[in-house]
């Protein structure tokens, strides 16, 4: 499939935006190009599983610039780059970068361009990663910009749904997906619903506490994408029956406006009791992580940890092959990967 699609020209040219090889938004993709990226992630799996090695990015340096907290995105992008033979330079938080001394995004980006071959950036302000990208010609990847987008997370989420559905003999067209939790500030769901909207005839049930609903402009964009049914509710009991996928998210209190009320009931906790009551044995439970395990948090419960329906750790593992595929595409080495692979 990947070789067939590659006949249409390099994937990086077909997903380019502003004439540049960068990944800022899932809007750069079509169903065809997203499936091509997933096929490339399949090719990367033996490397991610430490069965094969590749040095296809030997000599290349990644700049990992994270101005907001992260574990998975920062480490898995770094690990993906290293597993392809490259090396990584990190900066974490404003305090330890010269932005603390008033340096602009433009200057930071221009300077970094002379030091590294690609950058992954996480920043608390929506649109800021695009500003980094405008200042440079090296590939820039959006690792999460405020409440904006998190495209690599959505790509690995789609890859996870696709691989879980293959295992269960299900198709994505016509699937019923529940997005649960903070759909207002959760950037992963903003990106994921747009990617899923590229498929046909889906039913989306959007379950959020009052005041944390999916932004209207995203709902409208997805409604225009295809013949989807989109329902919104604030009740898990009403929303979960019949779903194929539950995608839970953390309430992002750090993005709340001054004085915004964050006190809702425990009804938003996805736990074993409600899944046993409302869903079948084939439901897939996902979460981008981190889940909030503090006392009183209404996040995905740990009582599902040994339940095979819980896909969160398989989902997190998929971050490596999908992010390898992203680098291979943006750095133009995707056709070299297979030839470069050798046994461990
Ligand atoms: N899913 C995700 O973005 O996790 P981190 O915040 O740990 O990177």
């Amino acid at each position: 499939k990947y070789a067939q699609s590659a006949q249409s020209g390099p994937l990086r040219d077909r997903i380019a935006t502003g004439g540049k090889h960068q990944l800022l938004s899932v809007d750069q993709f079509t169903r065809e190009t997203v499936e091509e990226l997933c096929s490339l992630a399949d090719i990367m799996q033996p490397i991610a599983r430490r069965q094969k090695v590749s040095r296809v990015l030997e000599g290349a340096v990644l700049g990992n610039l994270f101005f907001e907290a992260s574990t998975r995105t920062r480490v898995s992008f770094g690990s993906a780059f290293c597993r392809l033979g490259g090396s990584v330079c990190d900066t974490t938080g404003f305090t330890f970068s010269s932005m603390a001394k008033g340096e602009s995004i433009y200057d930071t980006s221009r300077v970094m361009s002379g030091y590294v071959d690609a950058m992954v950036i996480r920043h608390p302000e929506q649109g800021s990663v695009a500003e980094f990208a405008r200042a440079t010609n090296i590939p820039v990847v959006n690792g999460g910009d405020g409440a904006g987008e998190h495209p690599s997370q959505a790509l690995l989420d789609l890859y996870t749904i696709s691989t879980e559905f293959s295992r269960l003999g299900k198709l994505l067209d016509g699937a019923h997906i529940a997005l649960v939790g903070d759909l207002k500030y959760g950037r992963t769901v903003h990106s994921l619903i747009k990617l899923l909207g590229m498929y046909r005839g889906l039913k989306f049930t959007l379950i959020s506490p009052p005041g944390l609903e999916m932004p209207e402009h995203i709902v409208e964009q997805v409604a225009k994408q295809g013949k989807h049914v989109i329902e919104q509710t604030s009740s898990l009991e009403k929303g979960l029956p019949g779903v194929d996928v539950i995608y839970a998210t953390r309430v992002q209190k750090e993005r709340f406006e001054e004085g915004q009320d964050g006190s809702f009931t425990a009804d938003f906790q996805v736990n074993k009791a409600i899944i046993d009551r409302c869903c079948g044995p084939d439901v897939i439970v996902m979460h981008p992580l981190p889940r909030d395990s503090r006392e009183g948090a209404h996040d995905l419960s740990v009582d599902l940890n040994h339940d095979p329906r819980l896909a969160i750790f398989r989902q997190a593992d998929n971050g490596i092959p999908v992010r390898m595929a992203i680098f291979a595409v943006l750095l133009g080495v995707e056709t070299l990967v297979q030839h470069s692979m050798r046994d461990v």
Side-chain angles (χ1 to χ4, degrees):
K1 188 176 188 181
Y2 186 74
Q4 264 172 13
S5 310
Q7 289 170 7
S8 334
L11 180 53
R12 71 174 185 160
D13 292 341
R14 285 176 284 132
I15 63 166
T17 173
K20 293 181 180 181
H21 299 127
Q22 50 200 11
L23 174 57
L24 303 180
S25 165
V26 295
D27 292 335
Q28 292 168 237
F29 284 87
T30 60
R31 177 172 174 165
E32 183 192 41
T33 53
V34 92
E35 287 184 349
E36 214 172 307
L37 190 92
C38 288
S39 300
L40 185 55
D42 280 338
I43 291 171
M44 299 294 185
Q45 281 287 13
I47 307 174
R49 292 181 182 144
R50 289 78 135 181
Q51 295 153 345
K52 300 267 184 189
V53 289
S54 165
R55 307 291 300 165
V56 75
L57 288 184
E58 188 155 27
V61 179
L62 171 70
N64 238 351
L65 277 63
F66 277 66
F67 300 103
E68 201 179 51
S70 170
T71 297
R72 271 146 296 277
T73 312
R74 186 170 64 84
V75 177
S76 66
F77 265 122
S79 173
F81 207 82
C82 291
R83 288 206 183 281
L84 289 175
S87 44
V88 182
C89 296
D90 269 333
T91 177
T92 310
F94 286 102
T95 320
F96 296 105
S97 92
S98 281
M99 283 194 165
K101 295 181 257 181
E103 187 164 48
S104 65
I105 286 180
Y106 181 85
D107 283 1
T108 305
S109 186
R110 282 290 300 270
V111 169
M112 287 299 294
S113 309
Y115 300 164
V116 299
D117 302 289
M119 284 189 271
V120 179
I121 297 157
R122 172 171 288 187
H123 194 283
E125 279 167 39
Q126 191 165 342
S128 53
V129 181
E131 201 179 329
F132 271 97
R134 279 194 293 276
T136 180
N137 286 324
I138 66 168
V140 168
V141 179
N142 182 358
D145 61 329
E149 280 216 38
H150 195 345
S152 67
Q153 178 70 47
L155 289 164
L156 77 89
D157 291 340
L158 186 86
Y159 180 75
T160 301
I161 296 171
S162 172
T163 51
E164 297 283 318
F165 273 24
S166 291
R167 176 175 61 79
L168 295 167
K170 290 185 178 184
L171 292 176
L172 238 165
D173 289 317
H176 184 176
I177 315 278
L179 303 178
V180 179
D182 181 352
L183 307 185
K184 179 176 181 180
Y185 297 111
R187 56 195 171 202
T188 65
V189 282
H190 299 168
S191 295
L192 179 60
I193 194 170
K194 291 196 276 182
L195 270 189
L196 289 167
M198 294 170 189
Y199 287 77
R200 280 189 296 274
L202 271 75
K203 180 172 177 183
F204 293 105
T205 302
L206 309 180
I207 309 170
S208 57
L212 294 181
E213 290 87 1
M214 179 72 73
E216 198 52 41
H217 70 95
I218 298 178
V219 176
E220 281 168 15
Q221 179 178 337
V222 175
K224 278 189 210 144
Q225 279 179 296
K227 290 180 178 158
H228 306 304
V229 174
I230 306 176
E231 290 176 352
Q232 305 203 42
T233 175
S234 55
S235 162
L236 277 179
E237 295 278 348
K238 284 189 190 144
L240 290 188
V243 302
D244 297 297
V245 177
I246 301 169
Y247 190 98
T249 60
R250 180 179 65 87
V251 174
Q252 313 230 335
K253 284 195 178 158
E254 69 273 24
R255 302 196 199 287
F256 277 22
E257 285 154 27
E258 190 88 3
Q260 190 171 342
D261 185 18
S263 58
F264 9 84
T265 66
D267 289 343
F268 290 95
Q269 191 190 50
V270 174
N271 55 34
K272 185 160 168 47
I274 196 156
I275 287 176
D276 285 345
R277 215 164 43 243
C278 299
C279 306
D282 281 352
V283 72
I284 300 163
V285 182
M286 297 174 63
H287 191 300
L289 302 178
R291 57 179 158 170
D292 191 343
S293 59
R294 288 171 292 195
E295 188 74 27
H298 306 305
D299 212 331
L300 178 65
S301 170
V302 294
D303 68 1
L304 284 158
N305 276 5
H306 300 290
D307 190 313
R309 295 172 292 186
L310 188 78
I312 58 172
F313 299 114
R314 300 192 288 277
Q315 179 184 1
D317 284 350
N318 285 334
I320 298 288
V322 169
R323 289 178 168 129
M324 280 178 173
I326 291 169
F327 286 134
V329 167
L330 293 180
L331 292 163
V333 298
E334 75 266 28
T335 53
L336 302 177
V337 170
Q338 258 177 322
H339 304 294
S340 73
M341 271 192 222
R342 53 185 170 75
D343 291 334
V344 175

